[in-house]
């Protein structure tokens, strides 16, 4: 909506003009003001859509072009994730804490959920909580691009997606208890 109403605009005109609501002058100012209101509303919409979290469709494609990120599916959430990874990768320092910071920010997960461990001299492995990976495309993108976050000379030997569930076991006739199962599958 425009900042001024038609009555406020007509009050600014000289007293020479007839300012009643049934005059041609009032109607002319009212029509002019309606189009200004539409321009203002569209300007606010454009301003909102230039934020990555609100962008959709073609607007999201234009933001992706700015960061050299390419759409791998029609899903806007996956593409938004890829763009945010590209933005974060441009700020990567090549350290392990920087890598954990970038992945936790991109997946919107706490840093404490990620584990990085040494597998050898200048070789590391990483555990990523699978609960925060929303689509298969996100998983593939992480696997293919995680090495780019580390400095030259460091290598990622394993990426483990950690998924934890509880299942109910019945042990004899005594009582029931909960057991946590861990399955390890190497992604690389």
């Amino acid at each position: 909506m425009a900042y001024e109403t038609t009555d406020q605009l007509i009050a600014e005109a000289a007293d020479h003009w007839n300012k009643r609501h049934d005059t041609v002058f009032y109607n002319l100012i009212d029509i002019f003001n309606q189009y200004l209101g539409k321009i203002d509303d569209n300007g606010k919409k454009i301003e909102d859509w230039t934020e990555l979290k609100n962008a959709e469709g073609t607007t999201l494609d234009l933001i992706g072009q700015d960061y050299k990120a390419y759409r791998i599916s029609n899903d806007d959430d996956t593409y938004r994730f890829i763009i945010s990874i590209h933005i974060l990768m441009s700020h990567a320092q090549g350290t392990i804490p920087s890598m954990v910071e970038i992945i936790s920010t991109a997946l919107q997960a706490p840093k404490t959920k990620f584990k990085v461990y040494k597998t050898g001299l200048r070789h590391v492995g990483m555990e990523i909580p699978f609960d925060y990976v929303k689509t298969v495309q996100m998983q593939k993108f992480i696997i293919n691009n995680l090495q780019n976050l580390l400095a030259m000379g460091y290598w990622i030997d394993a990426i483990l997606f950690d998924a934890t569930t509880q299942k109910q076991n019945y042990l004899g006739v005594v009582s029931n208890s909960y057991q946590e199962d861990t399955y390890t599958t190497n992604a690389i």
Side-chain angles (χ1 to χ4, degrees):
M1 187 86 180
Y3 295 111
E4 294 89 13
T5 64
T6 302
D7 290 331
Q8 289 172 330
L9 286 174
I10 205 86
E12 297 295 324
D15 289 335
H16 169 74
W17 299 97
N18 189 351
K19 299 179 184 179
R20 291 192 333 244
H21 291 273
D22 60 347
T23 62
V24 173
F25 181 65
Y26 185 90
N27 288 331
L28 180 68
I29 296 294
D30 190 41
I31 291 169
F32 177 71
N33 195 32
Q34 287 174 5
Y35 284 111
L36 283 179
K38 288 180 183 179
I39 291 170
D40 186 50
D41 292 343
N42 286 336
K44 287 180 184 173
K45 185 186 241 184
I46 289 169
E47 184 180 334
D48 289 342
W49 276 28
T50 55
E51 291 183 34
L52 182 61
K53 66 180 180 180
N54 298 331
E56 297 175 356
T58 305
T59 308
L60 194 61
D61 291 337
L62 293 172
I63 293 171
Q65 285 177 0
D66 288 344
Y67 291 102
K68 307 274 188 279
Y70 302 100
R71 193 182 274 274
I72 58 173
S73 73
N74 289 334
D75 183 27
D76 282 347
D77 288 333
T78 302
Y79 192 43
R80 195 173 289 115
F81 168 77
I82 290 170
I83 293 170
S84 66
I85 286 285
H86 276 272
I87 293 169
L88 293 170
M89 285 174 69
S90 66
H91 301 293
Q93 298 171 351
T95 62
I96 291 172
S98 170
M99 178 182 67
V100 171
E101 175 78 28
I102 288 170
I103 292 297
S104 67
T105 303
L107 293 176
Q108 298 174 350
K111 286 186 261 184
T112 57
K113 299 278 186 177
F114 295 87
K115 296 177 187 158
V116 178
Y117 53 91
K118 288 191 173 197
T119 58
L121 182 65
R122 303 180 74 68
H123 288 258
V124 295
M126 184 171 196
E127 285 185 27
I128 299 172
F130 194 69
D131 297 337
Y132 296 97
V133 180
K134 297 177 182 128
T135 63
V136 175
Q137 287 89 4
M138 285 182 181
Q139 181 182 7
K140 288 179 181 178
F141 190 82
I142 290 170
I143 291 170
N144 293 335
N145 292 293
L146 203 56
Q147 181 65 46
N148 298 335
L149 297 177
L150 284 176
M152 295 275 293
Y154 276 97
W155 297 100
I156 297 177
D157 289 335
I159 300 172
L160 304 173
F161 290 93
D162 181 32
T164 305
T165 59
Q166 288 187 348
K167 69 178 187 177
Q168 192 170 8
N169 289 334
Y170 294 98
L171 302 174
V173 292
V174 179
S175 68
N176 57 8
S177 65
Y178 289 95
Q179 174 182 342
E180 188 175 293
D181 286 348
T182 303
Y183 297 98
T184 302
T185 304
N186 288 338
I188 295 180

